[in-house]
């Protein structure tokens, strides 16, 4: 028994030593997407960030970082010149060819590709090993898990509500269940009328939406803008007739970060309003 205890202590000391070494070796971090920037700050790595992507605007300190990436691609020469110890990349969002090139040149890259809500605390735990104070990330992960469980309990056995999540108007687009935002809607009891689309972000038309008969329409756009598109279909769509058109906070909803909890609270509350009206 004593031997087992000593062995466990040795493993813990070894792990702690390895984590400390990683933290000491990682002093210059570049983030290539808004959500990885936000995650870095949440994990206590904000003081090590030296550059980020366009639209990395949270927390406010992120706005002061140099921009080395946007929707067009990466500023390769500038990234190399900054000599980062670690790059945080969005798998599927950042160009794979340029990321592969950075790896070939010896850059260390952590890829973020969240599929489920529980991937958020897992990512925080992963990032903790690069922080000088790993407890910041570990406490954030624990707090997220606790609040997520509380929200899950509060939303158990809720009736399904058919929804349409509108992205833009020209073209009219939405999300399938394979996309990130659908995680939040599903958590709250939402039933996507385009759940089974073959692509993550399908292009649709108004007739498709009418056939789907959503009980509520969500959009990151102002309600007035969304209503202008659907007002002519008031008699055909219950969501319009019953004024169930709502604007959502796009950053809370689309970025897999601790603020996803705010998106869950917002969506669940609005779906409850729809339920109360039926």
């Amino acid at each position: 028994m004593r031997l087992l205890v000593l062995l466990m202590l040795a493993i813990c000391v070894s792990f702690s030593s390895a984590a400390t070494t990683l933290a000491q070796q990682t002093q210059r971090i570049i983030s290539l997407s808004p959500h990885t920037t936000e995650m870095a700050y949440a994990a206590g790595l904000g003081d090590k960030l030296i550059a980020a992507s366009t639209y990395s605007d949270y927390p406010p300190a992120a706005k002061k970082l140099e921009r080395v990436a946007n929707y067009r691609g990466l500023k390769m020469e500038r990234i190399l010149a900054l000599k980062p110890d670690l790059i945080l990349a969005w798998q599927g969002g950042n160009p794979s060819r340029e990321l592969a090139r950075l790896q070939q040149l010896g850059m260390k890259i952590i890829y973020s590709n969240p599929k489920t809500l529980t991937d958020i605390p897992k990512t925080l735990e992963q990032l903790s090993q690069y922080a000088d104070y790993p407890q910041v990330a570990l406490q954030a992960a624990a707090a997220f898990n606790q609040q997520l469980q509380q929200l899950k309990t509060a939303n158990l056995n809720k009736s399904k509500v058919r929804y349409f999540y509108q992205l833009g108007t020209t073209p009219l687009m939405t999300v399938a269940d394979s996309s990130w935002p659908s995680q939040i809607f599903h958590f709250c009891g939402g039933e996507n009328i385009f759940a089974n689309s073959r692509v993550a972000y399908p292009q649709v038309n108004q007739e498709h939406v009418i056939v789907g008969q959503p009980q509520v329409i969500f959009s990151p756009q102002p309600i007035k803008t969304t209503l202008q598109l659907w007002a002519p279909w008031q008699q055909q769509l219950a969501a319009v007739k019953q004024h169930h058109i709502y604007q959502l906070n796009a950053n809370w909803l689309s970025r897999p970060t601790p603020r996803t909890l705010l998106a869950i609270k917002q969506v669940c509350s609005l779906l409850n309003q729809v339920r109360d009206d039926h």
Side-chain angles (χ1 to χ4, degrees):
M1 182 66 180
R2 184 182 178 185
L3 181 61
L4 178 61
V5 172
L6 290 173
L7 180 60
M8 292 300 293
L9 286 172
I11 292 173
C12 289
V13 170
S14 177
F15 178 81
S16 176
S17 177
T20 300
T21 300
L22 272 177
Q24 292 173 344
Q25 292 175 348
T26 308
Q27 298 298 322
R28 298 173 62 79
I29 301 175
I30 289 178
S31 169
L32 300 180
S33 77
H35 89 265
T36 53
T37 301
E38 193 169 327
M39 288 294 283
Y41 277 99
L45 296 171
D47 60 338
K48 297 186 178 186
L49 282 170
I50 57 172
S53 64
T54 303
Y55 302 118
S56 288
D57 55 6
Y58 188 87
K63 298 177 182 179
K64 300 177 182 179
L65 295 171
E66 181 180 345
R67 304 309 188 188
V68 293
N70 55 38
Y71 71 94
R72 294 177 180 174
L74 311 180
K75 297 181 180 179
M76 297 289 286
E77 290 184 6
R78 185 53 185 159
I79 291 173
L80 293 172
L82 287 170
K83 298 180 179 179
D85 303 314
L86 180 65
I87 294 174
L88 306 179
W90 176 19
Q91 191 171 26
N94 295 129
S96 58
R97 183 176 297 180
E98 290 175 302
L99 291 175
R101 179 59 178 157
L102 286 173
Q103 280 191 302
Q104 290 172 357
L105 293 171
M107 297 286 129
K108 182 175 182 179
I109 301 177
I110 288 182
Y111 291 94
S112 175
N113 186 29
K115 297 293 185 182
T116 66
L117 295 170
T118 54
D119 285 337
I120 293 173
K122 288 178 183 177
T123 300
L124 288 170
E125 291 168 359
Q126 180 186 20
L127 293 177
S128 71
Q129 61 188 321
Y130 300 98
D132 294 331
Y133 302 97
Q135 63 269 27
V136 172
L138 297 177
Q139 289 172 1
F144 184 95
N145 281 325
Q146 182 180 23
Q147 291 184 59
L148 188 66
Q149 184 58 47
Q150 291 172 347
L151 288 167
K152 184 177 181 179
T153 301
N155 288 280
L156 282 176
N157 302 318
K158 295 285 188 178
S159 59
K160 299 293 184 182
V161 178
R162 294 175 63 78
Y163 74 89
F164 170 57
Y165 181 49
Q166 176 184 320
L167 290 175
T169 55
T170 309
L172 184 63
M173 297 184 69
T174 187
V175 297
D177 269 8
S178 58
S179 69
W180 172 258
S182 296
Q183 296 289 323
I184 290 91
F185 294 117
H186 185 265
F187 184 94
C188 296
E191 190 174 71
N192 187 358
I193 64 171
F194 293 103
N196 298 321
S197 175
R198 295 180 180 178
V199 295
Y201 295 90
Q203 184 174 329
V204 299
N205 58 44
Q206 289 174 302
E207 287 73 18
H208 292 148
V209 177
I210 294 170
V211 170
Q213 283 297 298
Q215 297 167 265
V216 57
I217 296 175
F218 294 115
S219 175
Q221 298 175 310
I223 293 176
K224 184 178 180 180
T225 302
T226 307
L227 187 57
Q228 285 176 345
L229 178 66
W230 297 107
W233 306 98
Q234 182 172 349
Q235 297 306 314
Q236 288 86 359
L237 284 172
V240 183
K241 190 174 184 178
Q242 297 179 10
H243 307 289
H244 292 154
I245 294 179
Y246 302 110
Q247 180 181 7
L248 300 178
N249 186 306
N251 290 339
W252 294 352
L253 188 68
S254 62
R255 298 179 185 179
T257 73
R259 288 198 298 168
T260 295
L261 293 170
L262 297 176
I264 291 174
K265 291 176 182 178
Q266 183 181 39
V267 170
C268 287
S269 176
L270 293 173
L271 287 179
N272 282 335
Q273 289 184 36
V274 177
R275 293 184 181 102
D276 292 341
D277 288 345
H278 278 77

